[in-house]
Amino acid sequence: MWEFLSLACVLTRAFSVVRATLKFVESHTLPMARKNKKKIGEILVDFGVTTAEKVQSAIQEASRSGKRTGEVLVEQHGVTEVDIARALAEQFGLEFLNLDRAEQANRVQRSLIPEDIIRRYLVLPLEKKGNELTLLVHDPLDVEFEQTISFRLGLDRLRMAVASREQIRLLVEGEKSSSKPKGQLLSDSLDKSVDKSVDRSVDRSVDKSIDVDAEESRIVRLCDRIIVEAVNGRASDIHVEPRKEGVMLRYRIDGVCIEREFFPKSLQSALLARFKLLAGVNISERRIPQDGRIKKIIGESGVDFRVSACPAVHGESIVLRILRPDSARIGLVNLGFEQDNLDVFNKIIRRPNGIFLVTGPTGSGKTTTLYSALDTLNRPDKKIITAEDPVEYAFKGINQVQVRDSIGLTFPAILRSMLRQAPNIILVGEIRDREVADIAIQAALTGHLVFSTLHTNDAPSAITRLIDMGVKPFLVASAIQAVMAQRLVRMLCPKCRTANPTPDQKLLRLVGISEDERALGNIQKPVGCPNCDSTGYRGRKAIFELMIMNAELRDLAFGRSSVSKIRTAAIRGGMRSLVFDGKRKILKGDTTPEEVANFAQMDGFDPNEVVGSGSLDD
């Protein structure tokens, strides 16, 4: 009885999916499908390009080989791809275009939709009226594609016209279009009825991707494409985020999240399962967060991915952090230091003992800065040990220890063990509490050079933050050698940036650029080109705030002085603020006032005003 009820529930759900998909098909793309009952073969016979006998032979061959009838007709019976496309248009009451004809090819208006959509889906826009777009496609039955495009472009209605895949491909790639020779394989045109297309769309919702051979699984190929595209596109993170309507794919490039794709809900379980399988985590566990790693060879280099899966309302959100081996070895010069700051930094990291702290929010490049310093100091006469959670990059000649709280291998335990290893230099991934801070300070006072990070907004706040943790003020004053705060700002694309003759006056005041400095004409603005994916920016560099401890600052730390007093004394002692360091990069034409004002977290800056209309003048 229970088995019968379960079967009935499954069938009811399946029929609901079929009805919903059929309704979408009818309302969006195939208004004439029900009126025209003819099959592809019958239409081709009516066109006079083949005979009923050849169609019947092709149907039998397709049944034996598993191919489509259209493929067999093209391979064996002299039908062209253009014939198949014309028959599809006839079958579903859609317009047909032969792109060999100049007057029809000239109807294409590529500027109506993003170029990445054109190339990814092999489609061409013809006309747009309001929120209604007419699109030239080769597969009018791809329901998932229609849903994706409609959502991404915010369309109320998507109309379709049909052309052959090869003609569309040639036009997209800028080659001379010509009809396919008879007998060439047709792999993508369709010869199925509405009912068959509905059945296949239901089949696609079943998660079979992890059980089939990798070469045959479209989910495997899709995930591989996502990873390769993100790495080649300079992304630092891949975000796979289930939503109510589907699955959003976003890349973080130069610190900014960019929407890349919106997949149908039917792909969600397969997509998430594939990434979890690659990361080596439990596929069946969906209730708790999980962390894993992926190692892949992309191009000629190995790339690591740190994977995090976190349960959310509409399914697990998965983030892949891309860890490129070369990104931690870019060199101190390429971090963004101005020459005077670089000279001071090189002197500090070569001191025999003391603590050097790098502060800033998550994603501000603190780890890269410290790794670059260690790479500079990594010589045979120096013993370097690190405690990290997690170990992001492997360095030859450095002893790196991974924190594993589950077995008691915590930061304090690793630090105590480190001190018995007689190191010259110690890196502590992050000072999170008083216990770690006390051990790090004791290590600095006993002759070790200690590098670590702290989450504060500026350099002077690091002093008060350690004291608030419970570290005694005299220990803070005596152990710390320097504190450096940093932010990452986007650099203007060198190939398309141009002079900005009318920069926003309010922004100039916020970053401290005078009228005389503006008059020099070095302020640049973003434009956008293929080199920067039309963003106007390519790559990021850091702006720094380097505070060197002196006698006055040590007295203020010992006396538990406020952050404002410590900052005033630090500037008096030669510290250059984040904004001032950013100002120098603006005047060199490397970045923009908007970038510095935004990432330096300045009072009085509202990014929404900049995004909106033009001027912010008071």
Side-chain angles (χ1 to χ4, degrees):
M1 180 64 180
W2 289 108
E3 290 80 358
F4 175 78
L5 290 175
S6 300
L7 178 60
C9 291
V10 170
L11 291 174
T12 301
R13 185 178 179 184
F15 285 132
S16 298
V17 173
V18 170
R19 285 195 300 270
T21 309
L22 183 57
K23 182 179 179 181
F24 179 87
V25 170
E26 290 176 336
S27 62
H28 281 70
T29 61
L30 307 176
M32 301 275 303
R34 287 190 177 273
K35 298 179 182 179
N36 194 334
K37 296 295 186 180
K38 285 188 176 181
K39 300 295 185 180
I40 289 286
E42 297 174 5
I43 298 173
L44 290 171
V45 172
D46 291 343
F47 286 167
V49 297
T50 188
T51 64
E53 291 75 15
K54 289 181 178 180
V55 170
Q56 188 59 37
S57 174
I59 292 173
Q60 293 173 358
E61 175 60 27
S63 178
R64 286 193 300 270
S65 64
K67 296 180 179 180
R68 295 169 180 157
T69 304
E71 291 182 42
V72 178
L73 285 169
V74 171
E75 288 178 343
Q76 300 180 5
H77 300 291
V79 178
T80 67
E81 281 196 10
V82 174
D83 294 331
I84 297 293
R86 188 157 63 102
L88 279 170
E90 177 72 17
Q91 184 184 32
F92 299 119
L94 302 175
E95 183 183 5
F96 167 74
L97 270 69
N98 186 344
L99 298 180
D100 280 345
R101 299 177 180 175
E103 69 275 9
Q104 298 195 10
N106 290 338
R107 290 180 56 190
V108 173
Q109 302 181 56
R110 295 181 69 149
S111 60
L112 293 179
I113 64 175
E115 189 69 21
D116 65 289
I117 292 180
I118 292 175
R119 293 187 174 275
R120 170 164 285 102
Y121 297 108
L122 277 182
V123 296
L124 290 166
L126 300 178
E127 183 183 23
K128 188 173 184 181
K129 296 180 179 178
N131 277 342
E132 180 177 290
L133 176 70
T134 302
L135 205 60
L136 187 62
V137 304
H138 60 86
D139 183 353
L141 282 176
D142 191 343
V143 177
E144 291 180 355
F145 152 74
E146 297 164 32
Q147 292 173 320
T148 301
I149 294 297
S150 296
F151 182 87
R152 181 169 176 184
L153 299 179
L155 301 173
D156 293 334
R157 184 174 177 81
L158 185 64
R159 293 184 178 274
M160 293 205 178
V162 181
S164 78
R165 177 186 175 88
E166 184 63 12
Q167 285 185 339
I168 294 177
R169 185 189 70 80
L170 290 173
L171 193 57
V172 166
E173 297 178 1
E175 303 175 20
K176 185 178 179 181
S177 177
S178 62
S179 296
K180 282 272 192 176
K182 294 187 176 183
Q184 184 164 347
L185 174 65
L186 172 67
S187 60
D188 291 284
S189 293
L190 301 175
D191 63 346
K192 48 189 180 291
S193 66
V194 176
D195 294 335
K196 289 184 179 179
S197 72
V198 171
D199 292 341
R200 294 196 178 195
S201 69
V202 174
D203 291 341
R204 284 198 294 267
S205 69
V206 181
D207 180 16
K208 299 178 181 178
S209 63
I210 61 174
D211 298 322
V212 298
D213 187 272
E215 293 297 322
E216 301 297 325
S217 171
R218 70 191 183 99
I219 291 296
V220 171
R221 293 194 299 272
L222 174 61
C223 292
D224 287 344
R225 176 182 66 78
I226 290 171
I227 288 174
V228 172
E229 182 183 64
V231 172
N232 292 338
R234 303 182 298 107
S236 60
D237 301 271
I238 302 171
H239 297 261
V240 183
E241 304 168 336
R243 306 284 176 85
K244 183 178 180 180
E245 303 86 0
V247 182
M248 176 64 73
L249 172 67
R250 300 196 291 173
Y251 297 154
R252 187 180 294 277
I253 300 176
D254 293 336
V256 178
C257 275
I258 298 173
E259 291 185 359
R260 191 67 189 87
E261 205 73 79
F262 193 83
F263 298 112
K265 197 70 173 177
S266 60
L267 294 181
Q268 176 174 316
S269 59
L271 203 59
L272 301 183
R274 177 60 186 171
F275 280 122
K276 290 171 69 175
L277 184 66
L278 288 172
V281 301
N282 188 350
I283 295 176
S284 61
E285 180 56 75
R286 301 173 182 175
R287 301 166 299 172
I288 60 175
Q290 297 187 84
D291 296 316
R293 290 189 85 115
I294 300 173
K295 293 181 180 289
K296 272 189 172 292
I297 301 296
I298 298 178
E300 297 180 355
S301 60
V303 180
D304 284 0
F305 301 83
R306 195 175 73 209
V307 183
S308 172
C310 181
V313 174
H314 300 296
E316 290 176 286
S317 172
I318 292 183
V319 177
L320 287 76
R321 168 65 60 88
I322 302 173
L323 307 174
R324 297 175 175 82
D326 55 345
S327 64
R329 297 180 175 87
I330 61 175
L332 294 175
V333 175
N334 296 319
L335 289 175
F337 282 109
E338 302 298 330
Q339 189 58 49
D340 53 352
N341 267 348
L342 180 60
D343 294 339
V344 174
F345 183 83
N346 274 313
K347 291 179 181 178
I348 293 171
I349 64 175
R350 286 171 171 81
R351 291 185 179 180
N353 64 285
I355 292 181
F356 177 65
L357 293 174
V358 180
T359 75
T362 300
S364 59
K366 302 186 297 297
T367 301
T368 300
T369 298
L370 290 180
Y371 275 150
S372 297
L374 290 184
D375 196 39
T376 301
L377 300 173
N378 187 14
R379 301 193 306 269
D381 61 329
K382 298 287 186 182
K383 183 177 179 66
I384 303 175
I385 303 180
T386 73
E388 305 172 61
D389 184 19
V391 174
E392 294 189 354
Y393 304 98
F395 281 82
K396 185 178 180 181
I398 297 179
N399 302 278
Q400 296 173 268
V401 184
Q402 167 78 54
V403 171
R404 296 178 63 187
D405 291 326
S406 59
I407 61 172
L409 193 61
T410 60
F411 271 120
I414 295 172
L415 284 173
R416 292 190 185 95
S417 176
M418 277 183 179
L419 297 179
R420 295 191 288 271
Q421 296 279 316
N424 301 102
I425 301 169
I426 295 172
L427 169 66
V428 183
E430 181 185 349
I431 294 179
R432 298 177 177 175
D433 51 41
R434 177 181 176 179
E435 187 177 12
V436 175
D438 282 338
I439 299 174
I441 286 176
Q442 290 301 324
L445 294 175
T446 54
H448 303 86
L449 179 61
V450 180
F451 294 116
S452 190
T453 68
L454 200 63
H455 285 287
T456 61
N457 285 330
D458 56 14
S461 298
I463 304 297
T464 56
R465 175 69 183 276
L466 289 172
I467 294 174
D468 290 342
M469 281 185 183
V471 180
K472 292 181 173 55
F474 75 91
L475 292 177
V476 174
S478 56
I480 292 181
Q481 296 292 330
V483 182
M484 186 172 75
Q486 69 177 67
R487 299 289 190 279
L488 291 177
V489 296
R490 293 183 294 173
M491 296 289 105
L492 287 165
C493 175
K495 293 190 176 182
C496 67
R497 67 184 181 186
T498 187
N500 186 358
T502 57
D504 189 284
Q505 295 300 314
K506 181 177 180 180
L507 286 174
L508 294 184
R509 289 195 296 271
L510 283 173
V511 298
I513 295 178
S514 66
E515 185 60 31
D516 291 338
E517 291 170 326
R518 186 201 68 79
L520 295 176
N522 291 331
I523 299 176
Q524 305 282 309
K525 65 179 179 180
V527 177
C529 68
N531 183 57
C532 58
D533 294 328
S534 301
T535 63
Y537 298 92
R538 184 176 176 90
R540 291 187 294 172
K541 287 188 178 181
I543 54 176
F544 299 99
E545 184 175 83
L546 183 55
M547 182 180 75
I548 311 298
M549 294 296 286
N550 54 31
E552 182 182 7
L553 289 173
R554 295 187 196 280
D555 288 341
L556 291 173
F558 184 77
R560 296 175 180 263
S561 297
S562 65
V563 174
S564 60
K565 290 184 178 179
I566 295 174
R567 168 169 282 278
T568 301
I571 293 175
R572 191 162 51 241
M575 182 186 81
R576 187 164 64 234
S577 69
L578 287 168
V579 175
F580 191 88
D581 196 47
K583 169 186 169 181
R584 295 180 66 173
K585 289 180 172 59
I586 295 170
L587 295 176
K588 287 167 63 178
D590 292 336
T591 188
T592 62
E594 291 88 348
E595 280 292 300
V596 173
N598 189 17
F599 289 98
Q601 298 177 345
M602 298 179 56
D603 293 336
F605 174 68
D606 184 359
N608 293 320
E609 294 182 11
V610 177
V611 173
S613 60
S615 177
L616 293 173
D617 293 347
D618 289 335

